[in-house]
Amino acid sequence: MEKYGAGSIVVSEYDPNWPALFEQECMRIRHALGSFVLVIEHMGSTAVPGLPSKPIVDLLVGVPSLEEAKEHCIEPFVALGYKYIPEYASWLPGELFFRKGPPGPWTHHVHLMEPSHPRWEARLVFRDYLRAHPEAARAYASVKRALAASSKDDIEAYRTGKDIFVEETTAKARAWRASLGRLQRAN
């Protein structure tokens, strides 16, 4: 069992400071990596206004080449206070994963990958759907709170417990985005 670094998993009420924390970290990462960074997106629950979350800001960092990122990005992230978690490669193939913060509670996660990776699109369409559909965000909050209570400090159980909701909602989000595209083309 992988334990959550801060003891029991806590889903906090939405903090309006999360977007500012994202922007601050985004600037630090851009400064450290320079032109190697293609794009940085705020993802995860802290990126959805009003959505309760574990208070960890998730950053999705796009790079032109994951192989080159292994050579060029690990040291700069370590210098920014992040810890590279290579053992997550089996859970998150096609990305480099970093954590920042004391050995719990963590404050930031970085998911570094090529924007062409299918998970890039999935994460952003899920985020955008929750932003546009408050009822889906409320349902997700309920799932997260129930899992936090039942998982205690088992972060893997918490993560995998969300999988069905995330997969089903991502499918709805893709259909929603496709319908928006059809509407735009029709106008």
Side-chain angles (χ1 to χ4, degrees), residues 34-80:
S35 63
F36 193 71
V37 172
L38 300 173
V39 62
I40 303 175
E41 293 278 353
H42 189 183
M43 63 167 249
S45 297
T46 63
V48 180
L51 181 60
S53 177
K54 294 188 318 301
I56 301 170
V57 175
D58 283 287
L59 296 100
L60 185 58
V61 178
V63 294
S65 163
L66 193 64
E67 287 308 310
E68 287 181 40
K70 288 176 185 173
E71 296 173 27
H72 299 293
C73 296
I74 294 173
E75 276 187 36
F77 272 107
V78 169
L80 290 173

Side-chain angles (χ1 to χ4, degrees), residues 51-169:
L51 181 60
S53 177
K54 294 188 318 301
I56 301 170
V57 175
D58 283 287
L59 296 100
L60 185 58
V61 178
V63 294
S65 163
L66 193 64
E67 287 308 310
E68 287 181 40
K70 288 176 185 173
E71 296 173 27
H72 299 293
C73 296
I74 294 173
E75 276 187 36
F77 272 107
V78 169
L80 290 173
Y82 284 88
K83 180 179 181 195
Y84 174 48
I85 314 289
E87 54 270 24
Y88 273 28
S90 61
W91 172 54
L92 300 167
E95 83 178 63
L96 303 180
F97 181 79
F98 300 85
R99 250 185 209 141
K100 183 178 180 184
W106 303 302
T107 59
H108 298 78
H109 288 163
V110 166
H111 302 260
L112 192 144
M113 69 176 75
E114 297 171 17
S116 60
H117 194 287
R119 211 166 35 253
W120 182 279
E121 176 270 342
R123 290 189 168 162
L124 296 184
V125 74
F126 179 76
R127 175 202 67 192
D128 294 347
Y129 186 81
L130 292 180
R131 285 176 172 174
H133 296 86
E135 71 286 353
R138 283 190 297 275
Y140 190 41
S142 294
V143 166
K144 290 169 17 133
R145 284 188 172 121
L147 285 167
S150 66
S151 301
K152 307 262 188 274
D153 64 349
D154 183 350
I155 192 63
E156 185 176 359
Y158 176 83
R159 277 193 312 252
T160 59
K162 297 185 300 181
D163 285 351
I164 291 172
F165 182 91
V166 171
E167 288 168 15
E168 290 174 353
T169 303

